């Protein structure tokens, strides 16, 4: 029997949703905090802890109490040991969520600019491509390398993943405006 989104009882969709995906420790919680300007997502040094989808209901238009945008923080994948297939390692509810969630307007895929492209990242991006799910790829921790090294790393990631990689730093705020623009473009969310 295949599992469905309905069986997993995701909360009813209230607004366009943006899902954040990446390997454990890629900097997802830090990025969410930097996007939201608030300590809303828990930053942890213990990878692989989050095993549920955390939904952040945002009200950017500020008119009324209904959310106009939802951020979905998905569990990290592919930490340590073997570079197993995402589907094998990820909790069973992830694939149905990505496949069936109607309100899902954009997937933000995080990759680390400090390391070469990882098999699990490739698998995720191929999967999203196959399913026709809109996504953007963000290269995290871009403050850790500079100049030519960063250019080289972004070029390698872009080539291997077959899609543009936006440099991002939760420490310096680099890429924050560009990512918000991409989110707005896909969700028609109001300006903060
Ligand atoms: N230098 C730097 N470190 C970062 C950045 N983002 C995250 N980190 C560090 O990377 C580690 C993992 O970050 P976290 O946000 O918890 O990753 P998550 O497991 O993907 O949620 C922490 O030690 C963070 O301080 C960044 O933009 N720049
Ligand atoms: Mg985290």
């Amino acid at each position: 029997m295949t599992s469905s989104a309905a069986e997993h009882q995701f909360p009813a969709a209230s607004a366009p949703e943006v899902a954040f995906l990446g390997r454990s420790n890629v900097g997802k919680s830090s990025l969410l905090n930097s996007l939201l300007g608030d300590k809303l997502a828990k930053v942890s040094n213990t990878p692989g802890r989050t095993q549920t989808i955390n939904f952040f209901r945002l009200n950017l238009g500020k008119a009324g109490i209904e959310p106009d945008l939802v951020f979905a923080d998905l569990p990290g994948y592919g930490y340590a040991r073997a570079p197993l297939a995402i589907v094998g390692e990820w909790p069973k509810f992830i694939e149905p969520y990505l496949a069936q969630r109607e309100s899902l307007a954009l997937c933000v895929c995080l990759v680390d600019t400090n390391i070469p492209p990882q098999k699990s990242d490739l698998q995720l991006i191929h999967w999203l491509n196959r399913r026709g799910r809109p996504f953007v790829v963000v290269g995290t921790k871009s403050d850790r390398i500079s100049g030519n090294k960063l250019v080289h790393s972004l070029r390698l990631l872009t080539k291997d993943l077959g899609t543009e990689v936006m440099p991002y730093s939760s420490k310096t705020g680099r890429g924050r405006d560009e990512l918000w623009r991409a989110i707005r473009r896909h969700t028609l969310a109001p300006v903060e």
Side-chain angles (χ1 to χ4, degrees):
M1 197 177 85
T2 54
S3 51
S4 73
E7 285 168 41
H8 292 285
Q9 309 230 318
F10 299 120
S14 48
E17 216 154 276
V18 180
F20 292 81
L21 301 145
R23 288 179 313 104
S24 301
N25 213 38
V26 73
K28 186 156 54 67
S29 299
S30 304
L31 178 140
L32 281 164
N33 286 329
S34 91
L35 275 182
L36 298 173
D38 231 332
K39 291 287 175 213
L40 278 175
K42 186 174 159 54
V43 178
S44 164
N45 287 321
T46 313
R49 253 199 190 156
T50 315
Q51 288 303 308
T52 58
I53 303 178
N54 287 312
F55 293 93
F56 299 99
R57 289 168 189 80
L58 311 178
N59 185 323
L60 304 175
K62 296 185 174 70
I65 48 171
E66 290 302 314
D68 41 35
L69 184 64
V70 174
F71 280 3
D73 180 10
L74 274 79
Y77 57 82
Y79 176 70
R81 280 162 279 195
L84 293 178
I86 292 172
V87 178
E89 270 188 38
W90 252 0
K92 290 275 180 280
F93 55 83
I94 304 295
E95 196 173 340
Y97 170 83
L98 291 175
Q100 296 165 30
R101 184 73 163 170
E102 281 181 21
S103 55
L104 182 56
L106 179 68
C107 293
V108 177
C109 304
L110 280 61
V111 298
D112 191 334
T113 49
N114 295 255
I115 56 171
Q118 302 291 298
K119 194 177 170 194
S120 50
D121 297 330
L122 266 167
Q123 287 173 326
L124 171 65
I125 286 162
H126 285 164
W127 191 92
L128 294 171
N129 257 324
R130 261 202 319 279
R131 296 293 182 124
R133 274 294 193 198
F135 65 88
V136 292
V137 180
V138 167
T140 61
K141 309 183 191 181
S142 69
D143 57 281
R144 283 196 183 163
I145 44 174
S146 54
N148 286 339
K149 272 193 171 164
L150 179 60
V151 171
H152 177 74
S153 171
L154 288 168
R155 208 174 277 156
L156 193 66
L157 285 165
T158 297
K159 180 170 154 284
D160 277 25
L161 300 176
T163 185
E164 193 203 337
V165 178
M166 302 164 55
Y168 198 98
S169 169
S170 301
K171 291 252 156 36
T172 68
R174 176 179 188 171
R176 183 181 186 273
D177 292 348
E178 290 89 336
L179 184 52
W180 265 119
R181 271 200 292 279
I183 289 169
R184 288 217 174 78
R185 209 164 46 238
H186 283 87
T187 61
L188 305 178
V191 175
E192 262 177 302

